[in-house]
Amino acid sequence: MSAGTNAPANPIKHAITLARETVPPMHRAGRPFVLGGLAATLVLRRFSKPLGLLAGLGTVATAAFFREPARVPPARSGLALAAADGLVSLIEEATPPPELGLPAEPRMRVSVFLSVFDVHVQRVPATGVVEKVAYRPGKFLSADLDKASDDNERNSLLLRTEDGHELVVTQIAGLVARRILCEVGDGEKVTAGDTYGLIRFGSRVDTYLPPGSKVLVSKGQRTIGGETVLAELPAARS
C-alpha cells in the first residue's frame, strides 16, 4: 500500500515546534543574567543541593522576566497601541517631558504600571518615524506613584506617525529598576508592535496622545503591549 500524501509529521519535530510556540523567546538583554545564574547554579550545586535549587529557580525567574512573546498588532491604522504589558494606573492630562522640546501644553496621558511579573519589553505604539530620543536621569521612586512621571529616571521617544500625529512614549524606571534600554534612535523608521526597549525590574510607561484622540481604555484595565488599543487617533491630516 502506498504512503498517503499527507504523512504524519515527525513527533519530535512537532514537539519542538509546540515548545517554541508555547515558551516565549528571551530578550537579548537578559542573556548575561541568565548565563550568570546558570553558572552560579552549577557552582552552588557542588556545595549544597538546596542552594543550587534556589539558584536554579532564580535563574528560571530571571529568564521569565526577560521574555519577549510574539505579538500581533491590529491591522487597522489610526490607532495608538499600548507600549507595554501592565495595569492602566492613570488617565489624565499632563505636559510631555520638557527635554523633548514640545510646547508646554497638556495632552492626554495614559500611564501603564508594570510589576515584576509583567513582560518588560516596550513596543512601538504606532508606525512612523522617531523624531527624537531624550534621556533624563532622576530618582527611583515607586513607579505607581503620580510623581514618578516627573521625578524618576526616564527615556522619552517622540514619534511622528504615518498620519502626521505626534505620539510621545516614556519609559520610567521604578523602585528597583536601575536600567532603561532604548534600542532606537533619531530618524529611525519603526513599525507598530515592534520591540524598541526594556526596563529592568519594575517600571512604568507613559503615552502622551495628540489632541482629539479618543481614549479606549479605563483605569484598572490590563494592557497587552503591541496589541491593546489605547486610543483612536484623530483623522489623518490632509
Side-chain angles (χ1 to χ4, degrees):
M1 182 181 294
S2 61
T5 55
N6 294 321
N10 184 310
I12 296 178
K13 184 177 180 180
H14 182 60
I16 293 174
T17 300
L18 287 176
R20 287 177 176 174
E21 293 176 349
T22 304
V23 180
M26 183 177 62
H27 191 277
R28 58 180 174 272
R31 294 172 188 168
F33 294 91
V34 173
L35 290 175
L38 288 174
T41 299
L42 293 175
V43 171
L44 289 173
R45 275 184 57 84
R46 297 179 60 184
F47 301 98
S48 170
K49 287 187 177 180
L51 286 178
L53 177 61
L54 287 175
L57 292 175
T59 302
V60 171
T62 301
F65 175 86
F66 285 101
R67 64 194 184 279
E68 186 182 358
R71 296 288 163 77
V72 181
R76 179 184 161 194
S77 60
L79 303 175
L81 306 181
D85 290 31
L87 186 73
V88 178
S89 57
L90 290 171
I91 300 176
E92 61 184 3
E93 288 197 341
T95 303
E99 57 266 26
L100 289 174
L102 295 173
E105 300 172 354
R107 306 182 183 199
M108 189 59 69
R109 178 178 71 191
V110 179
S111 300
V112 174
F113 173 72
L114 295 73
S115 75
V116 294
F117 301 106
D118 287 311
V119 172
H120 265 63
V121 296
Q122 280 75 63
R123 315 266 178 173
V124 177
T127 298
V129 177
V130 177
E131 292 201 335
K132 187 173 183 179
V133 179
Y135 168 80
R136 197 209 69 172
K139 300 177 181 179
F140 297 96
L141 305 174
S142 179
D144 60 345
L145 298 176
D146 292 359
K147 59 183 179 180
S149 294
D150 297 322
D151 296 343
N152 282 23
E153 176 183 5
R154 67 192 182 209
N155 187 80
S156 299
L157 219 67
L158 174 58
L159 175 68
R160 178 74 62 180
T161 72
E162 291 180 313
D163 292 337
H165 296 299
E166 289 179 340
L167 269 178
V168 173
V169 59
T170 302
Q171 301 165 285
I172 302 171
L175 185 64
V176 294
R178 288 297 183 272
R179 183 70 190 273
I180 296 175
L181 300 179
C182 180
E183 300 173 320
V184 295
D186 295 3
E188 190 168 337
K189 293 182 179 180
V190 290
T191 303
D194 286 353
T195 299
Y196 81 88
L198 179 145
I199 317 172
R200 290 208 289 255
F201 311 122
S203 51
R204 174 169 153 184
V205 176
D206 289 348
T207 302
Y208 296 81
L209 303 167
S213 299
K214 180 181 179 182
V215 177
L216 298 178
V217 292
S218 302
K219 187 176 178 180
Q221 179 179 339
R222 294 202 62 84
T223 61
I224 299 175
E227 292 187 353
T228 299
V229 178
L230 289 187
E232 290 182 351
L233 302 180
R237 296 179 179 181
S238 57

